[in-house]
């Protein structure tokens, strides 16, 4: 696989030979129907340098040129700060988000977000596409976030997220001592009518399921270190669920947690894993905790 300007070039292997161009785009690249139609109408997929009918059969060593890296108008203002890269290939970039930075702008004047920082990295490395975040983390939550490098990857990874094929593992410090070794919180989450940004467990809310297990109990500090995984991705899900069972996150004052000196919430997305839809390899990106509150427990994070 090579990149030449806007083109990603893929040499047809023995396994891919014998497929029609259309089947190859569907199976290897998982390109959705709407995008397939756009490619077909624009005649922008080339085989050995020329657009061919999509019912043609591919042969071993044919070169397929895909317009994945077409120059896009990029309205994202670059923010030149260093980012910690956990994984990178032609299609995606996974970075370790620090606290006190938003994932993306909330207004046109907000230009110091992680998305702006990734836009600066794209500019520095010569990518003329715009970054897109597949998911997000709250401002005061740190950890692994996935960005895509081209519009096809964005569409495919959005689909993987909806299908729950991107696994996210979190660690958190919560108040109090959790007695059970592990548990599942299966409670729907909805908006709080009395607070614009707050969520709450509500019978009329959206289904939400959180699994947790205890990593360490600290009776001296009256806190418990836990690992969590989500089967759904509701806004503030971990924060709402842990508060609901009487163990709010340290620093999470919105949901009953005691304030920390660093004005943060003790929640970190420590691991992001998925089967890569294009290479079919397991990608497992581990984000070293970058919050001071987790340092006393650093020997427990052997992912």
């Amino acid at each position: 696989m090579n990149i030449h300007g806007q083109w990603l070039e893929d040499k047809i292997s023995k396994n891919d030979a014998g497929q029609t161009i259309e089947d190859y785009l569907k199976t290897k690249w998982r390109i959705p129907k709407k995008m397939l139609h756009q490619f077909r109408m624009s005649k922008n997929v080339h085989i050995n340098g020329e657009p061919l009918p999509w019912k043609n059969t591919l042969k071993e060593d044919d070169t397929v040129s895909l317009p994945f890296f077409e120059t896009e108008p990029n309205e994202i203002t670059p923010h030149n700060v260093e980012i910690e890269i956990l994984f990178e290939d032609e299609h995606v970039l996974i970075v370790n988000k620090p606290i006190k930075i938003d994932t993306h702008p909330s207004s046109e004047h907000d230009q110091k977000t992680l998305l702006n920082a990734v836009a600066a990295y794209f500019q520095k490395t010569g990518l003329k596409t715009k970054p897109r975040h597949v998911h997000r983390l709250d401002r005061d939550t740190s950890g692994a976030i996935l960005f895509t490098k081209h519009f096809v990857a964005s569409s495919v990874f959005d689909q993987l997220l909806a299908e729950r094929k991107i696994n996210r593992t979190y660690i958190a410090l919560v108040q109090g001592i959790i007695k059970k070794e592990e548990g599942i919180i299966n409670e729907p989450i909805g908006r709080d009518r009395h607070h614009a940004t707050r969520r709450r467990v509500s019978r009329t809310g959206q289904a939400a399921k959180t699994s947790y297990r205890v990593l360490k109990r600290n009776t001296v500090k009256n806190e418990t270190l836990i690992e969590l995984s989500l089967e759904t991705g509701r806004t503030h899900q971990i924060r709402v669920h842990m508060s609901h069972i009487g163990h709010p996150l340290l620093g999470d004052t919105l949901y009953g947690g005691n304030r920390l000196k660093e004005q943060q919430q003790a929640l970190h997305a420590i691991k992001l894993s998925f089967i890569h839809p294009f290479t079919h390899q397991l990608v497992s990106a581990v984000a070293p905790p970058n919050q001071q509150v987790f340092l006393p427990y650093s020997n427990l994070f052997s992912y």
Side-chain angles (χ1 to χ4, degrees), residues 190-248:
R191 291 183 177 274
D192 188 328
R193 292 177 299 170
H194 306 292
H195 197 293
T197 59
R198 187 180 164 101
R199 300 295 192 274
R200 65 184 181 89
V201 166
S202 167
R203 286 184 302 172
T204 58
Q206 294 177 298
K209 191 174 182 179
T210 304
S211 300
Y212 70 86
R213 70 182 183 96
V214 170
L215 298 178
K216 178 76 174 179
R217 296 179 179 88
N218 189 329
T219 53
V220 174
K221 292 186 175 182
N222 192 35
E223 64 189 32
T224 306
L225 177 71
I226 57 174
E227 177 190 271
L228 306 107
S229 60
L230 307 181
E231 289 195 25
T232 52
R234 308 305 176 202
T235 300
H236 298 178
Q237 179 171 325
I238 289 173
R239 300 165 63 188
V240 173
H241 273 171
M242 295 314 299
S243 178
H244 179 70
I245 65 169
H247 296 284

Side-chain angles (χ1 to χ4, degrees), residues 134-138 160-168 170 185-190 199 206-211 229-241:
V134 176
H135 57 105
R136 62 182 292 277
L137 295 174
D138 294 336
L160 288 185
L161 188 69
E163 294 171 355
R164 301 176 186 174
K165 292 180 179 177
I166 299 176
N167 300 310
R168 290 173 286 171
Y170 296 80
I185 308 167
N186 193 356
E187 297 286 352
I189 292 175
R199 300 295 192 274
Q206 294 177 298
K209 191 174 182 179
T210 304
S211 300
S229 60
L230 307 181
E231 289 195 25
T232 52
R234 308 305 176 202
T235 300
H236 298 178
Q237 179 171 325
I238 289 173
R239 300 165 63 188
V240 173
H241 273 171

Side-chain angles (χ1 to χ4, degrees), residues 3 8 14 18 31 71 74 78 97 108 123 158 164 189 223 234 244-245 260 277 290 292 301:
I3 298 172
L8 184 142
K14 186 175 181 180
I31 296 177
T71 299
N74 192 349
K97 175 189 171 297
E108 59 181 274
Q123 187 179 77
D158 282 348
R164 301 176 186 174
I189 292 175
E223 64 189 32
R234 308 305 176 202
H244 179 70
I245 65 169
L260 292 170
N290 49 28
Q292 291 289 325
F301 306 137

Side-chain angles (χ1 to χ4, degrees), residues 123-152:
Q123 187 179 77
K124 184 172 66 175
T125 55
L127 262 180
K128 293 181 172 25
T129 59
K130 63 181 180 182
R132 297 166 170 89
H133 57 91
V134 176
H135 57 105
R136 62 182 292 277
L137 295 174
D138 294 336
R139 176 180 177 84
D140 294 324
T141 300
S142 54
I145 292 190
L146 174 65
F147 291 86
T148 56
K149 288 187 169 185
H150 55 79
F151 63 101
V152 175

Side-chain angles (χ1 to χ4, degrees), residues 76-137:
I76 303 170
T77 303
H79 178 41
N80 288 294
V81 295
E82 188 174 349
I83 57 175
E84 182 183 353
I85 296 173
L86 305 174
F87 174 84
E88 181 177 15
D89 67 3
E90 299 95 337
H91 312 287
V92 298
L93 176 74
I94 303 175
V95 301
N96 191 3
K97 175 189 171 297
I99 58 170
K100 298 183 182 178
I101 183 171
D102 289 318
T103 299
H104 56 85
S106 55
S107 73
E108 59 181 274
H109 305 295
D110 190 6
Q111 299 176 354
K112 294 184 177 181
T113 72
L114 188 61
L115 185 67
N116 297 90
V118 173
Y121 176 75
F122 277 24
Q123 187 179 77
K124 184 172 66 175
T125 55
L127 262 180
K128 293 181 172 25
T129 59
K130 63 181 180 182
R132 297 166 170 89
H133 57 91
V134 176
H135 57 105
R136 62 182 292 277
L137 295 174

